[in-house]
Amino acid sequence: MVTDILDPAEVKKHFDRIGHFRILVLGRSNAGKTTLLQRVCNTAELPEIFNAKGEKTNSNQRGYHNIEDELIFRSNPGFVFHDSRGFETGSVKELNLMKDFVADRACTLKLEKRIHAIWFCISMADYERPILAAEEKFFNQCNTGNVPVIAVLTKADALKIPALNQLMKEKGLTMREAKPGVGEFAAEMLSKLRTRIESQLSGCKYPPKAYLSMASMNQEGADCASLLRCTTEALNELELQKLVISTQQANIVLNIEYSVKQ
């Protein structure tokens, strides 16, 4: 594990050798992907988008990113994100494009172009059918090699409304009577939903390496330390662990936490 807090010289060394920490972000439209990335990069601004040639583009239209495009937030240029529209169309063509991208970028000799992690966002707002055929195809057909896939269960707070409705219906409570128990009941719903998702995806050929639920990412100051910690722990290489930590020098808690691990 990382055994020392990275000083500026150490940070520069990692970026000079490897470049940015590059993440492929997957998931359906409205899964909270952009909001999640904004919180990770501590900004309310949209990312700047650059094509494969490094030219700035204006393709910030929802659901229509070219997977080769680089999404970079000015507040934290240490991260480079890629977004796929394969789960918007569900087409075989888009799935194959994504598989080719992963196969190429997971093992390319150009270190500055290699992807280091994949965040697969699954919205809990879609709690009735969180996993569809498109998701199963990815986890059955896309071999990501040494690149870890983190299943990020986004919008966990969206379960509060169905939890309230279910409490009122099942126990015959009024809204006022049901509200105090909503938090606990929503947490139970999330736990059961996560178990169901893990069970479903564990039967796939290439299941996620880790699962993590996130809530209230639309609130300013929302804490993403758990996602960064989960990503760091999923990485196999010490140098990559140092790189992801170095992109978050402002996150003192995470930095110190990894400085004391053996």
Side-chain angles (χ1 to χ4, degrees):
M1 302 300 293
V2 179
T3 56
D4 57 338
I5 298 178
L6 302 180
D7 60 29
E10 187 78 358
V11 172
K12 185 177 186 304
K13 182 177 73 174
H14 291 303
F15 277 104
D16 286 346
R17 194 179 77 82
I18 302 176
H20 305 277
F21 190 81
R22 196 175 291 268
I23 300 173
L24 173 60
V25 186
L26 304 175
R28 301 178 210 165
S29 178
N30 296 318
K33 293 179 291 181
T34 300
T35 302
L36 180 67
L37 302 187
Q38 288 173 323
R39 292 287 74 78
V40 167
C41 294
N42 194 29
T43 183
E45 296 181 356
L46 290 173
E48 295 181 324
I49 301 178
F50 300 87
N51 61 24
K53 297 180 181 179
E55 301 166 337
K56 190 173 180 179
T57 73
N58 294 316
S59 58
N60 224 328
Q61 188 175 354
R62 180 185 294 272
Y64 287 94
H65 293 306
N66 183 325
I67 196 170
E68 295 285 347
D69 287 347
E70 299 181 345
L71 283 64
I72 301 176
F73 291 89
R74 285 183 292 180
S75 60
N76 195 338
F79 282 116
V80 172
F81 301 101
H82 293 269
D83 187 8
S84 171
R85 65 174 181 172
F87 296 94
E88 313 305 330
T89 64
S91 73
V92 173
K93 178 181 177 181
E94 293 295 344
L95 179 63
N96 287 336
L97 284 173
M98 182 184 60
K99 287 165 61 178
D100 290 343
F101 176 84
V102 171
D104 175 53
R105 294 299 192 94
C107 58
T108 178
L109 295 178
K110 298 179 180 179
L111 295 180
E112 71 279 6
K113 293 295 184 181
R114 189 176 296 178
I115 57 171
H116 305 116
I118 298 173
W119 291 346
F120 197 115
C121 296
I122 303 172
S123 173
M124 296 299 92
D126 299 321
Y127 65 95
E128 293 182 330
R129 298 185 68 193
I131 304 297
L132 298 177
E135 286 83 6
E136 288 191 328
K137 281 184 180 179
F138 171 82
F139 289 108
N140 274 315
Q141 299 180 24
C142 194
N143 182 0
T144 64
N146 291 324
V147 179
V149 180
I150 313 298
V152 186
L153 311 186
T154 58
K155 299 187 177 182
D157 47 309
L159 292 173
K160 289 183 179 180
I161 293 178
L164 176 64
N165 292 334
Q166 198 166 332
L167 275 174
M168 293 170 62
K169 181 179 180 180
E170 291 183 357
K171 298 189 177 183
L173 302 176
T174 64
M175 183 178 293
R176 177 176 294 182
E177 292 170 334
K179 276 187 175 181
V182 165
E184 182 179 353
F185 198 76
E188 291 177 6
M189 288 181 65
L190 176 61
S191 178
K192 292 178 181 178
L193 192 54
R194 174 169 172 165
T195 299
R196 191 175 104 205
I197 292 171
E198 289 189 28
S199 176
Q200 189 170 353
L201 295 183
S202 66
C204 295
K205 191 173 182 179
Y206 307 108
K209 187 168 184 178
Y211 296 82
L212 182 72
S213 59
M214 306 292 290
S216 304
M217 288 296 103
N218 59 330
Q219 296 181 9
E220 186 176 353
D223 187 10
C224 288
S226 58
L227 177 57
L228 297 170
R229 183 183 301 110
C230 183
T231 302
T232 305
E233 292 175 348
L235 296 168
N236 294 325
E237 298 180 32
L238 177 62
E239 292 301 304
L240 291 181
Q241 290 181 338
K242 288 183 177 181
L243 183 62
V244 70
I245 294 300
S246 70
T247 63
Q248 291 291 304
Q249 287 293 291
N251 195 325
I252 302 301
V253 173
L254 190 65
N255 203 322
I256 292 177
E257 181 176 320
Y258 276 88
S259 75
V260 299
K261 285 190 176 183
Q262 301 299 320

